[in-house]
Amino acid sequence: ADALQITASAGGIDMTGASGGDIDIRSSGKSVNISATEAAADAIVISASVGGIDITTAGTSGDEDIDITSSGSINIASTENVANAIYLHANSGTSETIKIHADQGTGDDSIYVLSDLGGISIESGKTGAITNMASDSASSCDTP
């Protein structure tokens, strides 16, 4: 049984911390679950009107990942006008990789990289480490 239950029969539930105070939700030795059953595009919203949002895990084994899964699209956008506005970074050892994988796409643009007005740079710190290849003999990679 739940040790504490907060239920509203009508309307919503608001929790507000005093100015300068945090609202902490913790579970000792158990999970914290957030779910919604509303059929809305914004059924769960996590926002900060000032400041950032951090999602972290302190996992030490290989199975303690941060997974984002959707039966619809996953869109990541930044409106900040700075270099590295969206930044993917692996920094944990010499075996690390970053992989972009389209598992079932069969079109010529199964993975599509676009820059509307600027260029696209691919750079490697290892001499001769950038290669172009197509796995079937009917395809080719065009290079300027």
Side-chain angles (χ1 to χ4, degrees):
D2 295 327
L4 171 65
Q5 199 173 55
I6 301 171
T7 305
S9 59
I13 297 173
D14 292 328
M15 293 188 298
T16 305
S19 178
D22 295 337
I23 296 175
D24 297 322
I25 300 172
R26 294 189 182 117
S27 178
S28 180
K30 297 291 181 179
S31 299
V32 174
N33 302 297
I34 300 172
S35 64
T37 59
E38 181 183 28
D42 60 351
I44 296 176
V45 176
I46 300 172
S47 66
S49 61
V50 178
I53 296 173
D54 295 330
I55 299 172
T56 60
T57 180
T60 55
S61 67
D63 62 348
E64 295 164 340
D65 302 331
I66 295 174
D67 297 321
I68 301 172
T69 304
S70 173
S71 60
S73 298
I74 296 174
N75 301 297
I76 299 172
S78 172
T79 59
E80 187 178 27
N81 185 16
V82 298
N84 299 320
I86 296 177
Y87 180 61
L88 300 175
H89 183 200
N91 187 22
S92 190
T94 59
S95 296
E96 68 190 19
T97 63
I98 296 175
K99 180 178 184 176
I100 299 172
H101 181 192
D103 197 34
Q104 297 183 37
T106 59
D108 289 343
D109 60 353
S110 176
I111 295 178
Y112 180 68
V113 179
L114 170 69
S115 175
D116 285 337
L117 300 174
I120 296 173
S121 297
I122 298 174
E123 182 178 333
S124 173
K126 186 176 181 180
T127 302
I130 297 175
T131 58
N132 291 329
M133 70 178 109
S135 63
D136 68 23
S137 60
S139 299
S140 65
C141 292
D142 298 324
T143 56

